[in-house]
Amino acid sequence: MREEPAGTDDLGVDITIPSVSRMYDHYLGGKDNYAVDREAVAALERRLPGSRVLAHDNRSFLRRVVRTLARDYGIRQFIDHGSGLPTQDNVHQIAQRTDAGARVVYIDNDPIVLAHGRALLEDTRSAVVAADIRDTDTIFASPEVSRLIDLSQPVAMLFVSVMHCLPDASDPAALIRRAMSRVPSGSVMVLNQLVSHHAETRDFVTGFMDHCTRGNWGRVREPAEVAAYFAGYDVLEPGLVEINSWRPDSELCCRPRGGGPWFEYGGAARKP
């Protein structure tokens, strides 16, 4: 059994409160999480079995969409909003398999994510920016974005499994418009989030996560609410879908799970 400090860790993080990024790390089999994160995952899994599968599905979608944008659409620069803890096949590794010169900026405000991310990124083509994803001005004024991102060329703006962390009071739609206004025509927005057709499921997950993270959470939404984020953009095939349906590698490995009580929904769209 791993030993864990009480109260705060050596980065000054309060480890009595579950972290969404550390819960996700645990889902993926990582080691950068604490007992409180594992307990929250177990409690959620008891009420909604299969939540672990959603995390793996989401990671597979990220791999496919980054590979597709680099290989088929010629995108060579990516800004990953709410990147989370490093794991296998990070965005820069996927993109650089297509072009070693591909550049990636990761955005996160979790101290653990920042510490581990900066330790991982040893080359000059990737960087981590300490910022809240809602603070577009800070992100685009950062030296890392200025150094790595050429705003005369298309940029992939990744909002992968992060919008459900933002409450309505943060106006996620305005965030999307603000961020996309900074990048040129031909840039691509990638966005997916947890949704449910069932009000009971939406209310339970939203309430559970809001309580256990002490307010550091947003809302499970309906598919139509997510679709509204894409208004005015040219949605790429196959459209907005349960993410396992987005350009699967094969019918077996990425088969849609039939919606289920909750699922990840979204896609990719090009800025006109």
Side-chain angles (χ1 to χ4, degrees), residues 225-249:
E225 294 179 275
V226 177
Y229 296 149
F230 289 83
Y233 298 97
D234 299 326
V235 178
L236 305 182
E237 292 294 336
L240 303 181
V241 292
E242 182 181 352
I243 58 173
N244 269 16
S245 299
W246 201 92
R247 305 197 186 195
D249 293 320

Side-chain angles (χ1 to χ4, degrees), residues 90-263:
N90 298 287
V91 173
H92 69 286
Q93 295 164 324
I94 303 165
Q96 288 170 5
R97 290 194 194 111
T98 295
D99 186 331
R103 303 176 302 282
V104 178
V105 176
Y106 298 96
I107 312 296
D108 213 295
N109 62 354
D110 186 318
I112 294 180
V113 171
L114 301 173
H116 285 269
R118 285 168 176 157
L120 173 73
L121 300 175
E122 298 178 350
D123 65 53
T124 59
R125 295 160 297 171
S126 305
V128 180
V129 173
D132 189 302
I133 66 169
R134 293 167 288 195
D135 195 349
T136 304
D137 288 343
T138 294
I139 291 168
F140 279 86
S142 68
E144 294 87 352
V145 168
S146 297
R147 176 173 66 85
L148 290 171
I149 304 299
D150 177 0
L151 293 176
S152 71
Q153 299 297 318
V155 181
M157 301 284 276
L158 308 182
F159 299 91
V160 175
S161 199
V162 70
M163 302 309 286
H164 47 247
C165 297
L166 298 182
D168 292 342
S170 294
D171 199 346
L175 161 63
I176 296 300
R177 291 192 299 270
R178 194 164 60 244
M180 293 302 294
S181 72
R182 299 297 191 96
V183 294
S185 175
S187 294
V188 177
M189 176 181 74
V190 177
L191 186 151
N192 62 288
Q193 82 143 82
L194 289 167
V195 301
S196 178
H197 293 298
H198 311 293
E200 181 181 0
T201 299
R202 293 195 301 271
D203 292 344
F204 167 73
V205 177
T206 297
F208 175 89
M209 289 300 297
D210 186 69
H211 173 74
C212 75
T213 63
R214 300 185 194 174
N216 190 25
W217 181 250
R219 183 164 66 86
V220 177
R221 296 182 169 90
E222 298 181 70
E225 294 179 275
V226 177
Y229 296 149
F230 289 83
Y233 298 97
D234 299 326
V235 178
L236 305 182
E237 292 294 336
L240 303 181
V241 292
E242 182 181 352
I243 58 173
N244 269 16
S245 299
W246 201 92
R247 305 197 186 195
D249 293 320
S250 75
E251 291 185 2
L252 294 178
C253 76
C254 297
R255 183 174 296 163
R257 303 191 186 281
W262 62 328
F263 56 100

Side-chain angles (χ1 to χ4, degrees), residues 39-56:
E39 290 164 3
V41 165
L44 189 57
E45 187 73 16
R46 284 193 296 270
R47 177 63 182 265
L48 288 171
S51 57
R52 185 181 302 273
V53 172
L54 294 180
H56 287 273

Side-chain angles (χ1 to χ4, degrees), residues 59-116:
R59 199 69 195 179
S60 295
F61 169 69
L62 177 66
R63 293 189 188 103
R64 296 197 308 278
V65 75
V66 170
R67 182 183 66 211
T68 297
L69 293 182
R71 182 189 64 198
D72 300 340
Y73 292 87
I75 301 292
R76 295 295 180 264
Q77 38 190 12
F78 299 78
I79 300 180
D80 187 1
H81 295 76
S83 54
L85 283 154
T87 184
Q88 293 182 343
D89 263 359
N90 298 287
V91 173
H92 69 286
Q93 295 164 324
I94 303 165
Q96 288 170 5
R97 290 194 194 111
T98 295
D99 186 331
R103 303 176 302 282
V104 178
V105 176
Y106 298 96
I107 312 296
D108 213 295
N109 62 354
D110 186 318
I112 294 180
V113 171
L114 301 173
H116 285 269

